[in-house]
Amino acid sequence: MLDSKIPEGELSQKWTKYKSSVPLVNPANKRNLEVIVVGSGLAGSAAAASLAEMGYKVKVFCFQDSPRRAHSIAAQGGINAAKNYQNDGDSVYRLFYDTIKGGDYRAREANVHRLSEVSGNIIDQCVAQGVPFAREYGGLLSNRSFGGTQVQRTFYAAGQTGQQLLLGAYSALSRQIGMGAVKMYSRHEMLDVVVVDGKAKGIIARDLVTGKLERHSGHAVLLCSGGYGNVFYLSTNAMGSNVTAAWKAHKRGALFANPCFTQIHPTCIPVSGDHQSKLTLMSESLRNDGRIWVPKLKNDNRKANEIPEEERDYYLERRYPAFGNLVPRDVASRAAKERCDAGYGVGTSKMAVYLDFSFNMDRYGRIEANKHGLNNPSPEEIRKMGKEVIAEKYGNLFDMYKQITGENPYEVPMRIYPAVHYTMGGLWVDYNLMTNVPGLYALGEANFSDHGANRLGASALMQGLADGYFIIPYTIGAYLSNEIRSAAIPTDHAEFVACEDHVRNQLERLKNVNGTKSVDHFHKSLGKIMWDKCGMGRKGER
């Protein structure tokens, strides 16, 4: 039987009451407890820094050469928080409702309400760390809109919000490493979970530089290793985001939940050939000022700027006037695929739609001209001033698009198409973020419980930091308070030896296959099956 351990009482009071009654570990005992953190992105760095600050001994395992290279940096557009700075009617409940609805009602309500409650704390924490959030002229933090909502609640740092938030978490982690409270293992990959008497007591890791297998013991194991989007091969995920940690945990008994729930992002640069191993995300924030359209004529081979306004179909504005270009991600993605499948796609592949900034560039230009008291400015002057406004908001994204495609998006519309981006499915966890394997936790995208899933943007950064900074520091006490008398399991224990032997035998078997095809061949074949049969459009028999 699965026990979600959701506290009793009103939804809005569950987290408050929980914090007041959860078992605690006193400071002296924390020094005797060791926590293993697998993954050093937003969730992992935040959790490791917070737990070390509290007094626990922490080991962190990083797949990359530095936590700064975690895939969290790829989240560009922003992070949600219910601060109602725009005075447009936002609230904790509205963020909770939008996130639940955005997850197609498959997320756990108690977890999501807690996430909404702590969302404002995340912004305060990150501002205190020096994260350079965008600000209004008067110095107040700026907000922008994101798909799936009708309020402005998304805090951002140009088009590199994930990177800036990660640098804040990395700074906190580096401080603890410098103090000796955290031991960092870079270029290490977790290859198995060691379970002793039904509890997670350590991991088998591989040094990716030497190839050596290592045993590491701990009182609890936190998996902060991201999602499984790379099962589709072509996705916005880095190739290093390989879901090994969560999969090995699953093989040791940790259950998966909502594994079919994959977020398809509508705003990606279209694939250009078989040479690609990943796709590039263009932030959803671009849909604030970009208008999405296709030609009204099928198989129209004219260049975008040659197609007059009356022959353009702004299909999202036409179909969904209440949201327009800011419809939820799944709606925008399906609509783009439908238009392309119907013969209205653009570009050489015809598997793309236009994201056009010319209208709002002119609008911003006219606003700026009025500010400067210009009478009858020329179209060139208007476009120049509008370009400066757009560049201030999205400049690094426009530069990235130009480098990849060779096209200048200030002069011609971007071409975009949906791609796999994020996963709602993951390891099942209870209210404490613990899997059904005692002592084994899953945070951030590695778990299933809170994600905005197919629909809502700016949720990923919110959950990763909430889990690491504000939730696991409380909830881990519920388990570790009962582990105080348990000595650390020595790494020469029979279960550690057996687990390492299992990993070594599997590696040897793979190395000795002497096959004729590369790993990428099978990965690519799997990805095509997944995209064709279980991508945006799904039918049971497929």
Side-chain angles (χ1 to χ4, degrees):
M1 293 291 290
L2 291 177
D3 180 4
S4 59
K5 297 185 174 66
I6 298 173
E8 297 291 333
E10 290 287 328
L11 190 63
S12 61
Q13 297 300 313
K14 289 181 186 295
W15 180 234
T16 301
K17 290 181 179 178
Y18 177 94
K19 288 188 293 182
S20 301
S21 58
V22 64
L24 300 176
V25 180
N26 82 46
N29 286 330
K30 285 173 184 171
R31 292 194 290 269
N32 299 318
L33 295 170
E34 190 156 36
V35 178
I36 291 173
V37 179
V38 179
S40 52
L42 284 177
S45 289
S50 300
L51 294 174
E53 183 79 39
M54 294 169 69
Y56 294 105
K57 293 187 291 185
V58 181
K59 288 182 180 178
V60 177
F61 293 81
C62 172
F63 183 81
Q64 308 286 359
D65 55 343
S66 166
R68 290 173 297 175
R69 290 177 60 82
H71 194 66
S72 301
I73 67 167
Q76 301 162 333
I79 176 171
N80 286 334
K83 280 186 169 290
N84 196 32
Y85 280 177
Q86 303 297 321
N87 196 29
D88 54 3
D90 202 8
S91 64
V92 167
Y93 181 83
R94 194 176 293 276
L95 174 56
F96 156 74
Y97 174 78
D98 285 346
T99 308
I100 286 290
K101 181 181 177 184
D104 205 23
Y105 303 95
R106 283 162 171 78
R108 181 183 289 140
E109 289 191 1
N111 292 51
V112 175
H113 199 282
R114 174 177 66 186
L115 174 67
S116 303
E117 289 179 65
V118 304
S119 63
N121 297 348
I122 300 171
I123 305 303
D124 297 339
Q125 167 96 352
C126 294
V127 168
Q129 289 174 335
V131 172
F133 284 123
R135 294 179 181 268
E136 304 287 2
Y137 179 77
L140 299 177
L141 294 179
S142 180
N143 289 137
R144 61 186 175 198
S145 300
F146 245 59
T149 69
Q150 292 181 305
V151 297
Q152 286 182 262
R153 64 160 69 101
T154 305
F155 295 78
Y156 62 99
Q160 50 182 254
T161 313
Q163 182 172 3
Q164 297 301 332
L165 291 172
L166 183 63
L167 289 173
Y170 173 69
S171 298
L173 175 61
S174 296
R175 177 172 176 268
Q176 297 301 325
I177 294 172
M179 295 170 62
V182 172
K183 187 163 185 181
M184 189 76 201
Y185 293 84
S186 298
R187 289 291 187 194
H188 277 68
E189 181 174 26
M190 189 206 95
L191 292 181
D192 215 339
V193 180
V194 180
V195 179
V196 180
D197 296 330
K199 297 179 179 180
K201 289 295 183 180
I203 65 170
I204 304 298
R206 190 184 193 190
D207 184 326
L208 296 176
V209 177
T210 66
K212 180 185 176 184
L213 293 178
E214 301 175 359
R215 308 171 194 170
H216 294 276
S217 173
H219 292 86
V221 177
L222 275 55
L223 300 185
C224 311
S225 51
Y228 55 84
N230 259 336
V231 75
F232 291 87
Y233 189 70
L234 279 178
S235 76
T236 67
N237 289 262
M239 290 298 281
S241 303
N242 62 23
V243 80
T244 296
W247 177 242
K248 294 296 185 178
H250 176 60
K251 299 289 272 186
R252 291 289 175 185
L255 299 176
F256 257 75
N258 291 340
C260 68
F261 235 53
T262 308
Q263 183 187 96
I264 312 292
H265 199 295
T267 318
C268 296
I269 298 177
V271 64
S272 60
D274 290 338
H275 62 283
Q276 283 181 259
S277 62
K278 75 176 295 294
L279 297 171
T280 303
L281 170 70
M282 290 283 100
S283 169
E284 185 179 11
S285 61
L286 294 171
R287 290 201 279 154
N288 280 300
D289 292 309
R291 301 178 73 196
I292 296 171
W293 63 275
V294 293
K296 289 183 178 179
L297 296 176
K298 285 187 177 182
N299 302 311
D300 194 329
N301 292 317
R302 289 176 293 176
K303 295 179 180 178
N305 291 345
E306 296 174 355
I307 302 175
E309 185 71 18
E310 62 273 13
E311 295 181 29
R312 301 179 179 187
D313 179 15
Y314 296 93
Y315 58 91
L316 291 178
E317 299 172 33
R318 172 171 57 83
R319 295 179 183 178
Y320 312 103
F323 283 87
N325 295 295
L326 288 173
V327 293
R329 288 179 175 180
D330 63 325
V331 176
S333 297
R334 284 196 300 269
K337 183 177 188 296
E338 183 275 327
R339 287 290 81 191
C340 292
D341 290 348
Y344 297 96
V346 301
T348 53
S349 69
K350 299 299 181 183
M351 298 301 287
V353 298
Y354 287 128
L355 180 61
D356 192 342
F357 291 84
S358 57
F359 175 84
N360 279 313
M361 210 175 290
D362 289 342
R363 182 173 68 86
Y364 284 131
R366 286 191 291 271
I367 293 172
E368 289 298 302
N370 288 335
K371 282 183 184 177
H372 292 87
L374 295 180
N375 294 320
N376 299 318
S378 68
E380 291 75 19
E381 289 177 307
I382 290 175
R383 179 57 60 93
K384 181 177 182 295
M385 285 187 277
K387 177 181 175 181
E388 290 172 355
V389 175
I390 292 290
E392 185 178 341
K393 298 175 78 171
Y394 312 110
N396 64 312
L397 296 171
F398 276 52
D399 292 343
M400 186 166 67
Y401 183 88
K402 185 177 180 180
Q403 288 176 5
I404 292 171
T405 66
E407 298 175 359
N408 187 344
Y410 293 108
E411 298 173 0
V412 297
M414 289 183 180
R415 288 174 293 107
I416 59 167
Y417 194 70
V420 169
H421 176 53
Y422 193 73
T423 57
M424 178 183 182
L427 295 176
W428 181 91
V429 294
D430 62 18
Y431 192 75
N432 296 325
L433 303 184
M434 190 162 70
T435 69
N436 57 295
V437 177
L440 180 64
Y441 292 78
L443 281 65
E445 193 180 357
N447 80 35
F448 88 108
S449 64
D450 299 24
H451 299 310
N454 270 16
R455 317 198 73 186
L456 193 67
S459 298
L461 300 176
M462 179 171 60
Q463 193 202 346
L465 291 177
D467 285 357
Y469 282 141
F470 299 109
I471 296 173
I472 197 66
Y474 279 102
T475 62
I476 200 169
Y479 175 76
L480 291 181
S481 61
N482 294 316
E483 296 296 304
I484 296 169
R485 294 184 178 85
S486 302
I489 301 292
T491 55
D492 58 358
H493 187 281
E495 291 293 346
F496 273 91
V497 175
C499 196
E500 182 183 338
D501 288 344
H502 172 74
V503 171
R504 180 177 290 106
N505 291 338
Q506 190 173 40
L507 290 174
E508 290 298 323
R509 183 169 62 84
L510 289 171
K511 286 191 290 184
N512 294 329
V513 162
N514 296 321
T516 59
K517 295 181 173 64
S518 68
V519 173
D520 273 358
H521 166 83
F522 294 102
H523 190 185
K524 200 175 285 189
S525 300
L526 171 66
K528 181 168 175 50
I529 292 170
M530 289 296 294
W531 180 251
D532 290 343
K533 310 296 186 185
C534 197
M536 271 188 288
R538 306 177 188 178
K539 294 181 180 177
E541 61 271 18
R542 297 168 71 188

